[in-house]
């Protein structure tokens, strides 16, 4: 079953369970997926769906930080609950050590050295680790690998 089908099934289950918060978040995800399909006239595969989920989670993290800073814990909690629902659709994340190992392998493959090759390395890393790792952690690992 594709990830897209899984999301649809989860939406139906949330409707049956009358879980309005979970249902709202899944509908938000489906709307983002549909928007991407309509805009680009494509059928989304699992990789594209994971990219959308990743983007929505990043938005939630940014919102949580902003709401917490503004003293709106109620809104921060709502965003955190949405983020928890969205994280179910991501594959297992790599640990910091696994990310560092992958980055070193890619740097060696490309023969990259120095901060000037950051863009080239990040392009290759994004393709290989898309959805499997937090890109901010990956970026830090790439900087460390190129500096050393």
């Amino acid at each position: 079953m594709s990830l897209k089908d899984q999301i649809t099934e989860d939406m139906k289950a949330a409707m049956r369970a009358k879980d309005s918060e979970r249902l709202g978040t899944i509908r938000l995800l489906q709307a983002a997926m549909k928007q991407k399909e309509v805009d680009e006239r494509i059928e989304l595969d699992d990789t594209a769906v994971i990219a959308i989920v990743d983007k929505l989670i990043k938005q939630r993290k940014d919102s949580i930080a902003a709401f917490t800073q503004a003293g709106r814990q109620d809104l921060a909690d709502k965003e955190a609950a949405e983020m928890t629902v969205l994280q179910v659709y991501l594959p297992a994340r790599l640990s910091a050590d696994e990310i560092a190992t992958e980055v070193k392998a890619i740097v060696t493959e490309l023969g990259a050295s120095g901060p000037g090759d950051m863009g080239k390395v990040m392009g290759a890393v994004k393709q290989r680790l898309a959805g499997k790792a937090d890109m901010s952690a990956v970026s830090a690992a790439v900087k460390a690998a190129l500096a050393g």
Side-chain angles (χ1 to χ4, degrees), residues 3 11 52 65 71-72 92 94 103 109-110 112-113 116 120 123 128 131:
L3 189 55
M11 184 180 79
I52 291 170
R72 295 294 310 266
L94 297 175
V103 167
E109 268 175 40
L110 297 175
S113 62
K120 181 168 68 170
R128 198 175 299 179

Side-chain angles (χ1 to χ4, degrees), residues 2-121:
S2 75
L3 189 55
K4 195 172 162 185
D5 295 336
Q6 178 65 44
I7 292 168
T8 303
E9 291 303 313
D10 287 353
M11 184 180 79
K12 291 175 187 174
M15 281 180 183
R16 285 188 213 107
K18 296 184 180 3
D19 186 352
S20 60
E21 290 171 8
R22 189 159 179 262
L23 178 61
T25 303
I26 293 173
R27 281 186 171 155
L28 186 103
L29 171 57
Q30 284 199 311
M33 290 167 26
K34 189 70 172 171
Q35 182 72 43
K36 180 95 167 168
E37 285 182 333
V38 169
D39 286 352
E40 298 182 15
R41 294 186 178 98
I42 58 169
E43 185 72 25
L44 294 177
D45 60 352
D46 283 356
T47 308
V49 172
I50 289 170
I52 291 170
V53 172
D54 228 0
K55 181 179 173 189
L56 291 174
I57 287 176
K58 184 179 183 325
Q59 288 173 348
R60 298 295 163 287
K61 285 180 182 175
D62 294 344
S63 297
I64 289 169
F67 288 142
T68 303
Q69 187 177 7
R72 295 294 310 266
Q73 196 56 44
D74 56 328
L75 295 174
D77 292 342
K78 181 180 178 289
E79 294 288 325
E82 287 182 1
M83 197 167 78
T84 303
V85 171
L86 291 170
Q87 285 174 333
V88 169
Y89 302 111
L90 288 178
R93 296 295 199 170
L94 297 175
S95 70
D97 293 338
E98 292 169 323
I99 291 171
T101 304
E102 283 288 328
V103 167
K104 283 179 186 160
I106 292 169
V107 167
T108 305
E109 268 175 40
L110 297 175
S113 62
D117 290 337
M118 178 91 175
K120 181 168 68 170
V121 174

